Amino acid sequence: MSKPDVLKILQDAGLDVLTCIQCGTCSGSCPSGRYTSLNTRRIVRKAHKGGDILHDDKLWMCATCYNCQERCPRGIKIVDAILVIRTIAVHEGIMLPEHRDVSRLVLEYGHAVPINNATMEMREGLGLGSFPETVHKYPDALEDVKTLLRSCEFDKLVQE
Amino acid sequence: MTKLSLFLGCIIPNRYPGIEKATNLCLEKLDIDCSNLPGASCCPAPGVFRSFDKPTWLALASRNIVLSEEMGRDVLTICNGCYGSLSDANNELKDNAELKSSTNAHLEKIGKEYRGSVNIRHIVEFLYGEFGPEMIREIVVNPLNLRVALHYGCHLVKPSADRQHGSVERPVFFDELVEATGAESVDYPDKMACCGAGGGVRSALLEKSLEMVNHKLSLIRDANVDCIVNACPFCHLQFDEGQAEVKEKFGLEYNIPILHYTQLLGLALGFSPEELGIDLNVVKNDEFMGKLKEPWQE
């Protein structure tokens, strides 16, 4: 399989990172970068230099707070670009195990955070139904969600 | 006034049902026409599912929106993540005929069709826009004597090109709603900083995520407040459960109570902390709970 052309995919999505002047406003504004090795400026540079950005674990350290995107003097949609690069990585089979786990929860329950016994007790104590008015309470609705996920082949995408 | 349906998301009904109860009580007290949204699913969570596969994100989000379209009601969210995910999906589908058509090809398999006929609201901007702080202040029966550290949460206001709620560096609308309850919104450094939970960081890189929330907690502690108020259950969970995790991992204890805005408003509207599920948080702070009891003892 040929290597995906990250820069072209970004450009097709209307995300031009080539106007970056490497000023570092993004990195200076990044709350994650204070505590992780995420350096947004380097991510942007890697995206337009064609480095192996898809295997870069820093891609997953972005909390998507949008500070960099709001402050970028060149108006580059940095977070949107990071999300697109993540998507390319996932479609290349590169995904953190914890994110596969969250995906499995949605595939099974239709919720990324499904209910548990402790919460059911809290709900009853508050006079709410044991199950909320969501897919948890309506099996047909959950089937619809599962049909959609299969239709999008999300099950195949996130399996190992 | 706009008719609404209540979109619960995942964390509120499945971890913090007190917020669901508080929301119901506030909506009823304010006489807002808001129905349930039976059969809704995960929004789906923007930081993760949107990262993984856009067609999947749009298919699940549009199904949730269609459920509300079928009732002719706008969607009311009480979570910044659900708000961001559903409104971004709604905007993209309204603006892009190609995306709408490919998404509807999936929806057809469950006998549904996205039309683009409703809007996505967040309870904070809804209350601000439809009621406003002055009207809220008039409805308050129990003015709160509390010092509050307000946490807007990123996706309530950002990306600003899509949210359009004014300044993202120094917004004031949420502070005004907090102060309408009688509480004081206390300024603190890095007030607009992220809690560290979003983007799949909390789920995959917990310790790094906790370092980010610890940074905010340390600044909030120095501001001498009674509690933190938020409008997002993922921020709520990160601040609440996060304090127990910060204690375990870094040996730091804060014991700062966390309230969703509907719980703060509920107190001001005369409901008890127990009715609002404020006692169901991980953080147990007896001094704070005692302070909340005072008005009812008078």
Side-chain angles (χ1 to χ4, degrees):
Chain A
M1 204 160 68
S2 65
K3 213 173 127 194
D5 186 342
V6 174
L7 194 57
K8 182 166 188 313
I9 296 170
L10 286 174
Q11 279 174 335
D12 288 349
L15 300 163
D16 189 1
V17 295
L18 290 176
T19 59
C20 172
I21 52 170
Q22 291 289 308
C23 69
T25 301
C26 48
S27 297
S29 300
C30 180
S32 179
R34 279 181 184 164
Y35 299 102
T36 68
S37 49
L38 171 59
N39 181 321
T40 322
R41 182 183 59 81
R42 283 203 193 121
I43 293 252
V44 176
R45 188 171 60 180
K46 222 168 171 179
H48 70 66
K49 288 247 175 178
D52 186 12
I53 196 168
L54 300 182
H55 282 93
D56 195 328
D57 59 353
K58 295 167 193 66
L59 212 47
W60 301 97
M61 294 174 187
C62 167
T64 70
C65 80
Y66 288 96
N67 272 359
C68 55
Q69 185 158 323
E70 293 293 337
R71 294 175 183 168
C72 174
R74 305 296 295 184
I76 299 173
K77 293 184 172 178
I78 301 169
V79 177
D80 294 354
I82 289 175
L83 293 179
V84 168
I85 300 167
R86 283 182 177 185
T87 304
I88 303 168
V90 169
H91 283 257
E92 291 290 302
I94 306 158
M95 199 174 179
L96 297 173
E98 293 85 355
H99 291 157
R100 283 191 206 279
D101 293 343
V102 179
S103 302
R104 283 191 202 104
L105 292 174
V106 166
L107 281 163
E108 187 171 353
Y109 302 106
H111 279 297
V113 181
I115 201 155
N116 56 20
N117 287 335
T119 311
M120 283 168 74
E121 273 179 37
M122 285 186 216
R123 297 185 61 86
E124 287 154 19
L126 287 162
L128 297 166
S130 313
F131 290 102
E133 290 287 319
T134 66
V135 283
H136 271 334
K137 194 172 160 183
Y138 299 97
D140 291 351
L142 179 57
E143 271 316 305
D144 280 355
V145 169
K146 289 183 175 181
T147 301
L148 283 180
L149 289 166
R150 277 195 303 272
S151 176
C152 296
E153 301 193 335
F154 187 70
D155 47 347
K156 288 183 191 155
L157 180 68
V158 300
Q159 77 188 5
E160 279 174 273
Chain B
M1 190 176 285
T2 323
K3 289 183 173 186
L4 301 165
S5 73
L6 180 61
F7 183 79
L8 294 171
C10 297
I11 298 175
I12 287 176
N14 300 334
R15 287 295 179 277
Y16 286 95
I19 302 173
E20 180 179 334
K21 180 75 186 299
T23 303
N24 291 340
L25 292 172
C26 289
L27 292 172
E28 200 182 319
K29 196 83 164 184
L30 297 172
D31 207 16
I32 295 168
D33 182 353
C34 186
S35 73
N36 289 327
L37 190 57
S41 68
C42 178
C43 55
V48 281
F49 297 99
R50 186 183 188 175
S51 289
F52 303 160
D53 189 54
K54 191 167 175 180
T56 304
W57 168 62
L58 288 173
L60 257 59
S62 64
R63 176 185 167 274
N64 287 320
I65 297 167
V66 167
L67 295 177
S68 201
E69 284 187 340
E70 288 170 351
M71 294 192 281
R73 289 169 179 269
D74 281 351
V75 180
L76 181 68
T77 58
I78 43 180
C79 164
N80 292 357
C82 300
Y83 177 55
S85 195
L86 292 177
S87 50
D88 285 351
N90 203 33
N91 290 341
E92 289 216 32
L93 292 170
K94 277 184 184 179
D95 292 346
N96 186 328
E98 212 173 302
L99 274 184
K100 183 177 165 184
S101 145
S102 59
T103 301
N104 270 330
H106 293 298
L107 287 173
E108 200 183 341
K109 295 180 185 167
I110 58 166
K112 303 225 177 276
E113 186 191 1
Y114 171 87
R115 286 174 296 146
S117 60
V118 300
N119 296 313
I120 313 299
R121 307 298 303 262
H122 184 290
I123 193 156
V124 168
E125 59 83 22
F126 177 83
L127 290 175
Y128 190 81
E130 309 277 331
F131 285 79
E134 280 316 309
M135 205 189 285
I136 298 281
R137 201 183 300 273
E138 280 169 28
I139 307 167
V140 163
V141 296
N142 174 39
L144 304 172
N145 180 24
L146 294 174
R147 284 169 57 83
V148 164
L150 179 57
H151 174 80
Y152 276 73
C154 303
H155 301 145
L156 178 60
V157 291
K158 294 179 281 184
S160 59
D162 300 314
R163 300 291 176 276
Q164 302 185 337
H165 299 319
S167 167
V168 299
E169 303 286 356
R170 246 354 196 157
V172 291
F173 65 99
F174 195 0
D175 298 82
E176 290 175 19
L177 282 183
V178 165
E179 301 215 321
T181 67
E184 179 191 355
S185 179
V186 177
D187 238 348
Y188 62 96
D190 276 347
K191 178 174 163 183
M192 291 309 292
C194 175
C195 71
V201 176
R202 184 181 159 89
S203 60
L205 307 160
L206 180 63
E207 195 153 322
K208 293 297 174 193
S209 166
L210 292 176
E211 286 184 66
M212 284 187 250
V213 81
N214 182 52
H215 171 77
K216 282 214 83 159
L217 285 166
S218 66
L219 296 167
I220 289 169
R221 175 197 51 203
D222 294 346
N224 280 318
V225 295
D226 293 300
C227 61
I228 297 171
V229 168
N230 63 77
C232 173
F234 203 24
C235 304
H236 188 103
L237 182 149
Q238 172 80 339
F239 279 115
D240 184 43
E241 211 172 295
Q243 285 188 61
E245 292 160 339
V246 160
K247 186 179 168 189
E248 190 195 321
K249 289 196 187 284
F250 312 140
L252 297 166
E253 192 167 0
Y254 295 100
N255 210 27
I256 305 171
I258 315 296
L259 269 64
H260 188 273
Y261 181 70
T262 53
Q263 294 176 310
L264 185 84
L265 180 61
L267 288 169
L269 295 178
F271 297 106
S272 72
E274 290 78 14
E275 284 176 289
L276 301 162
I278 292 169
D279 56 330
L280 299 175
N281 279 341
V282 173
V283 171
K284 308 284 181 205
N285 184 320
D286 292 341
E287 195 186 331
F288 178 69
M289 292 304 277
K291 193 164 185 176
L292 296 185
K293 290 275 184 209
E294 281 164 20
W296 286 273
Q297 287 169 350
E298 276 166 10

